[in-house]
Amino acid sequence: MSTPLPTSAPFALSTRILAGSLMSALVVIGVALSAVLPAPESVPLVTLAVQVLAGVAAHVLLEAVGYRTPALSTALTDEDAAAQARTRWQTLMVMRFAIAEFVAIASVAAAFVLPDGSILTYLGGAVVSLALMVVHVWPGARPVGKVADALEAGGKRSGLREAFGGSAPGPVPRL
């Protein structure tokens, strides 16, 4: 006999499917580009260095703005707070995806424009973008916790951690 799923399970599942679909699109783009881009003769190290630096800049930007959201109003019911939390999570997740994906999209253009552009030019950017997505887009404990912390800053519980199978944080010990 199976245990019934919590009511938030469809949200968590659909969010993971969305994140996985967005992330796997980088692979599909790579497969399509491999048919039209030339085979690499060498690894363009300058291009790779620029891609890594762009990834670091994107990470800094994601940390600065990717988790900002107003705190939930304490006047909301628990159900309304949970609904708003899920909506804000999805909005922020898509925004973080767009920022993380930028390196890969710019690498598509670079692969066609640069004289030594090849499929490796795209792959370098795709790997950087995928790393950013694993850290900032996939609904793991870190991104969910950061958004939940922002939502709960005013004192209203969001239920976001619980929606993804986590537990609510305990009381903060005072020293």
Side-chain angles (χ1 to χ4, degrees), residues 16 27 31 35 50 53 66 112 126 134 139-140 143 169 172:
R16 288 184 178 107
V27 175
V31 169
V50 169
L53 287 174
F112 286 101
V134 167
V172 177

Side-chain angles (χ1 to χ4, degrees), residues 26-129:
L26 296 177
V27 175
V28 174
I29 292 168
V31 169
L33 289 175
S34 69
V36 295
L37 287 172
E41 294 177 17
S42 65
V43 177
L45 294 178
V46 173
T47 303
L48 183 59
V50 169
Q51 290 167 328
V52 169
L53 287 174
V56 169
H59 174 72
V60 169
L61 180 63
L62 286 162
E63 287 292 322
V65 301
Y67 301 94
R68 284 188 184 175
T69 187
L72 294 169
S73 169
T74 54
L76 292 170
T77 65
D78 289 343
E79 294 79 21
D80 289 341
Q84 275 195 25
R86 290 189 300 267
T87 299
R88 290 190 200 174
W89 163 264
Q90 286 182 327
T91 302
L92 288 170
M93 184 184 86
V94 171
M95 181 194 68
R96 290 191 308 271
F97 167 76
I99 293 170
E101 183 186 41
F102 174 77
V103 179
I105 298 302
S107 296
V108 171
F112 286 101
V113 172
L114 294 176
D116 59 349
S118 69
I119 190 64
L120 284 182
T121 305
Y122 170 72
L123 289 178
V127 167
V128 169
S129 284

